[in-house]
Amino acid sequence: LDDATPTAHPGWDVKKVSEKLDTPRKLDTGTTITERTSPIVYTARTPVADGIRATLQLQVQVPAAEGRTLAFPVLQTCEQGSTDWAQLPAEGQDGHELESPAPAFTVTAAAAQEHGADGHGEQAQEVPAEPAAATGGSGGAPAAAGWAGLAAGLLGLAAGATALLRTRRPRN
């Protein structure tokens, strides 16, 4: 990923760190970039109480890489140590077998949007799905819905990683 936009979260400080690329990279849009987002660091101003869940959200543009699994390693540091949520399953291995798996998802083709009635008692015609590599361009409502879905998915991913961390932490 070339860039990510962190969402502000009350009670947390956020720092977006950029790193210079060794060689400039040309994006599918024709834009040339010379740096990319590296880590994004969220720091709680006060520790999150035990039994309370905090979720953090990032917005990213997923590359057209249908079938590819993208992982988001997370280094979590707490008052009593840290956990590097960076393990990736080996070929054929179930990610649930790992002690501290990285949050990840697999890129799929864009799905057709369902449309409701057109106001005249007829169902609107279903739009065929386009492959992920063919999406982009003019944007509009389908693009906004896609971004909203991605944001919701990443929020769910962050919530799942947080819940997994909470259930795997030894209690003192």
Side-chain angles (χ1 to χ4, degrees), residues 17-35:
V17 180
S18 295
E19 69 179 6
K20 188 135 179 93
L21 297 171
D22 292 335
T23 57
R25 185 180 318 164
K26 191 167 192 166
L27 304 178
D28 293 339
T29 61
T31 304
T32 300
I33 60 170
T34 58
E35 61 181 31

Side-chain angles (χ1 to χ4, degrees), residues 85-97:
W85 299 94
Q87 293 178 330
L88 301 173
E91 185 70 34
Q93 182 182 20
D94 182 354
H96 292 94
E97 297 173 2

Side-chain angles (χ1 to χ4, degrees), residues 24-83:
R25 185 180 318 164
K26 191 167 192 166
L27 304 178
D28 293 339
T29 61
T31 304
T32 300
I33 60 170
T34 58
E35 61 181 31
R36 70 177 203 86
T37 300
S38 190
I40 294 178
V41 180
Y42 280 94
T43 305
R45 290 187 200 114
T46 59
V48 177
D50 191 33
I52 302 296
R53 182 175 69 101
T55 60
L56 307 173
Q57 183 178 6
L58 300 174
Q59 181 181 23
V60 298
Q61 183 169 355
V62 177
E66 187 175 343
R68 186 169 169 202
T69 299
L70 302 178
F72 294 83
V74 175
L75 177 60
Q76 181 180 21
T77 303
C78 300
E79 288 180 321
Q80 299 173 358
S82 64
T83 301

